[in-house]
Amino acid sequence: MKGDTRKISEDYMDEESQLCELDRSKTYKGLVGLYVDESKITFIDGMQGKLYFRGYPLEDLVNNSNFEEVAYLLIYGELPTKQEYEIFKNELNQERNLPDNIITILKSFPRNTTRIELLRTSISALSLYDPDDYMYTQEANIRKGIRIIAKIPTILAFSHRIQSNQPLVEPSNDLSHAGNYYYMMTGRKPSNEFERAFDKILICHSDHSINSSTFSCRVTVSTLSDIYSGITSAIGTLRGPLHGGANERVIRLMLEEIKKKENVIPWVKKKLEKKEKVMGFGHRVYKTWDPRALILRELSREFWEKEEKGAIDKIPDREHEKHRGNIDNIFEMTEILTDYIIKTKNIYPNVDLYSAGLLHVLGIPTPLFTPLFAASRSAGWVAHAIEQLKDNKLIRPRLRYIGKLDKKYMKIEKR
Ligand code: COA
């Protein structure tokens, strides 16, 4: 199949290198446009709005693959054979359960805690129960990585159900990774169409090159710290609204602030006049449509059309039921918002804009939106930790000091 592959075009590299030409007299605030290493995992073509995992276009993976296969691809670099796939899927399946002590600490956490904080703290604690905790070989790192990817959905589902006083739903061995994750969160086995849509969402979020959380993960493992520490750092970084926390904010503003189609334009005008950011828009790398947003937009359109026709699985405790009658079609409100912001600001939607309405219509509890990002991205974080360690160089940039020097120390009584 070599004849079908291609290298990044020279035009693209020229455009990129102009953007990234290093000038030592300049400070690269936010590291905008800087390459910090080389990678064979993910390529984002921010000019054309394309995303590739290990060279495969995202759209092909979303249409033909599933989360387990994409996680394998990210970690090992190649698509699995049927046998490799079955083994990997089985390994993930076998690792879904949590040690009893982790369930005990999940129950001990204060109520009204965000699920992403619970996840961050639990992943840190989980390392203490990993049989490979002090093994640092690549094989041990992959085993630890598989445990992390397998257990995150269980931690999230359990912590959410504990926080909302619902009985725990034990992992089911007959369901796929996406199907079981959905089942543990909601207590209902998903229909095929729900499972497939949820799986696509997981694939779309599974990696995105050196975004802020992946950078944190790579920085942490570059000190030769362990992979659990890398992923704990990544989750802490993902928590912020400028990164993974945007989807939860998008749905809240739709449900609590905008509510009706006629409110969209006045709401957004006011927001932009005040120079405030609109969550779900803009991206450091994409200067056009984010391809993940396009995929989730079509899925969202499909599910909201079914919702309008009453042709969707009825989910009694869906948050949407509480707002029925008070809230217009969220997909249609999102489209009005998108149209206005592209026309007036030339800023495009990112993945969080359309994932918000889609997760909502699928009945995913809102407090689990941001951590869902972590559940999928764990595949990418593991792949990046392993790649970093294969050819490691301590990541340690510099800060340009702009303070004063040689100040005179004055005794405390005299200050
Ligand atoms: N709403 C309104 N204006 C936005 C915007 C948004 N969501 N995103 C960017 N802009 C504007 C900025 O105000 C800025 O305008 P200015 O040059 O007139 O000051 C310009 O576009 C560049 O934005 P900046 O924040 O400097 O770009 P960045 O590369 O540092 O930021 C994000 C990228 C993602 C942090 C930014 O777009 C953002 O905050 N988006 C909202 C949060 C979000 O959806 N995050 C999820 C990302 S997947």
Side-chain angles (χ1 to χ4, degrees), residues 6 40 48 75 81 102 110 146 159 167 222-224 236 285 312 383:
R6 65 177 174 87
K40 289 186 175 164
Q48 303 296 326
I75 295 171
T81 61
I102 295 292
I146 289 173
S159 62
S222 85
T223 69
L224 302 185
V285 185
I312 205 164

Side-chain angles (χ1 to χ4, degrees), residues 241-243 246 272 277-284 347 350 352:
L242 296 188
H243 187 6
L272 295 177
K277 292 260 180 81
V278 181
M279 292 292 131
F281 287 84
H283 198 274
R284 178 59 66 80
I347 296 174
N350 57 49
D352 286 300

Side-chain angles (χ1 to χ4, degrees), residues 32 208 240-247 250 272 275-285 287 290 292 341 345 347-348 350-353 373:
V32 178
H208 213 219
L242 296 188
H243 187 6
N247 57 9
V250 169
L272 295 177
K275 303 241 171 277
E276 284 175 10
K277 292 260 180 81
V278 181
M279 292 292 131
F281 287 84
H283 198 274
R284 178 59 66 80
V285 185
K287 299 303 161 214
D290 174 338
R292 303 165 305 167
I341 297 192
K345 300 275 294 182
I347 296 174
Y348 286 82
N350 57 49
V351 68
D352 286 300
L353 185 75
F373 202 138

Side-chain angles (χ1 to χ4, degrees), residues 258-267 328 333 336:
I258 303 179
K259 297 182 184 178
K260 297 279 175 194
K261 281 193 269 186
E262 68 261 26
N263 297 337
V264 176
I265 305 285
W267 179 88
D328 279 349
M333 294 198 281
I336 300 172

Side-chain angles (χ1 to χ4, degrees), residues 9-27:
S9 78
E10 280 175 14
D11 285 354
Y12 181 87
M13 291 309 285
D14 283 350
E15 211 169 344
E16 277 284 278
S17 57
Q18 274 168 22
L19 190 75
C20 301
E21 211 171 312
L22 197 65
D23 173 353
R24 294 201 67 85
S25 65
K26 237 177 104 179
T27 301

Side-chain angles (χ1 to χ4, degrees), residues 96-126 129 151-166 168-170 184 368:
R96 287 175 181 168
N97 287 312
L98 300 181
D100 288 346
N101 287 340
I102 295 292
I103 302 177
T104 306
I105 62 164
L106 284 178
K107 288 183 176 161
S108 74
F109 289 140
R111 290 291 183 265
N112 299 320
T113 307
T114 62
R115 311 316 184 238
I116 193 88
E117 287 172 280
L118 299 173
L119 178 67
R120 184 198 59 210
T121 309
S122 307
I123 288 293
S124 175
L126 198 59
Y129 301 94
K151 290 183 197 311
I152 287 181
T154 319
I155 295 173
L156 289 173
F158 279 18
S159 62
H160 177 68
R161 292 179 80 82
I162 291 166
Q163 291 273 325
S164 48
N165 300 317
Q166 298 180 76
L168 300 186
V169 178
E170 294 295 331
M184 290 189 298
L368 289 175

